[in-house]
């Protein structure tokens, strides 16, 4: 058995955090990765035994989510967003440059074991496109040149600071944090910047503030609130009425679609 007693103990501790132990499977798999470098067969068996489920069920989860790796990972995971906006802003060029520079393909690791390169889906950071991640920490507004410099610094063992986040440690260390064990770096580095804060800056300049919790926001909401108050209707009743109205509207829309000329023509065709 290669999993240490400490790791097995932590896996049991994670399972005990949830009313239903099976809910701990996702963080448990991240913990296995932090200890083993990937989700191993042994890790799957141990998780299954602790949770009282089959190894096949654990394996199904481990092979469904792309953050779980069945092959050994490098010291650092470098992800390049190639989703729509990042791609057109230069993400595709960055990914191609890094593949050539590192001499690896997608989801492959460099010969020195330092970098695993992967193209990844949207990181919800479109205002900083194109973005990369290192061990899930953000690196914003990248170029092919800055990306090459970044991976070279990682391979040289230099200290690297995320654009919005902590100092880079390692992929395994990051996996341990995702599993639920803090590393003390949660407050290190900025978490928001640039365009993400533009709305807040404008609001401060113009003296705008959010309405108090529970206050009317005007428009249709105001009329609904007023009507409810005048008839003695509770807020829960108003919510129920709004939900019923939404259901009715959706049903009417579906009826229109079903009765559309396009659908009628389709039903009468032989195709």
């Amino acid at each position: 058995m290669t999993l240490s007693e400490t790791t097995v103990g932590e896996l049991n501790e994670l399972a005990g955090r949830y009313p239903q132990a099976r809910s701990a499977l996702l963080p448990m798999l991240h913990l296995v990765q932090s200890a083993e470098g990937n989700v191993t067969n042994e890790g799957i068996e141990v998780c299954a035994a602790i949770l009282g489920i089959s190894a096949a069920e654990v394996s199904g989860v481990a092979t469904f989510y792309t953050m779980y790796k069945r092959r050994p990972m490098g010291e650092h995971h470098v992800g390049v967003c190639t989703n729509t906006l990042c791609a057109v802003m230069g993400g595709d060029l960055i990914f191609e440059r890094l593949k050539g520079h590192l001499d690896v393909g997608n989801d492959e690791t460099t010969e020195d074991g330092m970098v695993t390169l992967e193209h990844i889906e949207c990181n919800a950071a479109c205002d900083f496109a194109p973005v990369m991640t290192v061990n899930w920490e953000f690196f914003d507004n990248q170029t092919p040149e800055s990306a090459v410099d970044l991976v070279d610094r990682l391979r040289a063992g230099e200290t690297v600071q995320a654009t919005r986040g902590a100092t880079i440690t390692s992929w395994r260390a990051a996996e341990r944090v995702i599993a639920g064990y803090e590393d003390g770096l949660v407050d290190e580095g900025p978490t928001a910047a640039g365009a993400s804060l533009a709305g807040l800056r404008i609001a401060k300049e113009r003296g705008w503030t959010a309405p108090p919790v529970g206050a009317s926001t005007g428009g249709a909401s105001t009329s609904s609130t007023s009507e409810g108050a005048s008839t003695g209707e509770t807020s829960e009743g108003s919510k129920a009425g709004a939900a019923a109205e939404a259901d009715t509207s959706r049903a009417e829309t579906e009826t229109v679609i079903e009765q559309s000329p396009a659908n009628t023509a389709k039903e009468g065709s032989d195709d």
Side-chain angles (χ1 to χ4, degrees):
M1 182 173 183
T2 59
L3 281 174
S4 68
E5 291 184 7
T6 299
T7 300
V8 174
E10 289 177 336
L11 289 170
N12 278 283
E13 190 270 328
L14 284 174
R17 294 184 183 183
Y18 296 84
Q20 296 185 24
R22 182 169 179 160
S23 300
L25 179 55
L26 299 184
M28 288 171 70
L29 289 173
H30 282 294
L31 186 63
V32 169
Q33 291 195 139
S34 76
E36 300 287 276
N38 64 297
V39 176
T40 60
N41 290 336
E42 179 189 359
I44 288 174
E45 295 285 351
V46 171
C47 287
I50 291 173
L51 299 177
I53 59 179
S54 69
E57 290 174 291
V58 177
S59 183
V61 173
T63 55
F64 182 83
Y65 295 105
T66 58
M67 286 180 73
Y68 299 125
K69 306 299 184 182
R70 296 308 312 274
R71 293 180 295 178
M73 293 286 287
E75 178 74 8
H76 300 289
H77 173 270
V78 173
V80 181
C81 182
T82 55
N83 214 325
T84 308
L85 184 57
C86 278
V88 300
M89 293 292 287
D92 285 342
L93 292 175
I94 290 172
F95 186 60
E96 290 303 316
R97 177 72 69 84
L98 288 181
K99 284 198 299 182
H101 181 71
L102 298 173
D103 193 25
V104 295
N106 181 52
D107 208 19
E108 293 182 354
T109 303
T110 54
E111 288 188 2
D112 60 7
M114 288 299 295
V115 173
T116 298
L117 179 68
E118 182 181 12
H119 74 80
I120 51 180
E121 291 300 312
C122 183
N123 281 295
C126 300
D127 45 345
F128 298 102
V131 294
M132 294 171 53
T133 59
V134 175
N135 308 331
W136 312 117
E137 296 286 359
F138 283 108
F139 287 82
D140 304 324
N141 302 311
Q142 294 296 295
T143 65
E145 292 72 26
S146 67
V148 167
D149 178 68
L150 174 59
V151 296
D152 284 347
R153 293 174 62 199
L154 291 171
R155 298 177 80 181
E158 296 180 18
T159 299
V160 176
Q161 175 75 43
T163 307
R164 289 174 292 121
T167 301
I168 299 304
T169 52
S170 69
W171 181 75
R172 289 196 185 197
E175 285 295 299
R176 181 172 176 80
V177 173
I178 296 173
Y181 293 93
E182 292 291 343
D183 60 1
L185 302 179
V186 64
D187 295 320
E188 183 179 302
T191 56
S196 297
L197 298 177
L200 178 62
R201 176 180 55 79
I202 293 171
K204 287 182 176 180
E205 290 173 353
R206 302 187 181 185
W208 295 343
T209 58
V213 176
S216 170
T217 56
S221 298
T222 302
S223 60
S224 299
T225 304
S226 300
E227 182 181 347
S230 64
T231 59
E233 185 180 0
T234 64
S235 60
E236 290 299 322
S238 299
K239 293 177 182 177
E245 183 178 346
D247 288 339
T248 301
S249 177
R250 182 168 62 252
E252 291 174 348
T253 301
E254 291 171 352
T255 300
V256 170
I257 293 172
E258 290 172 0
Q259 296 176 350
S260 71
N263 268 11
T264 304
K266 184 177 181 180
E267 289 172 1
S269 70
D270 294 329
D271 295 334

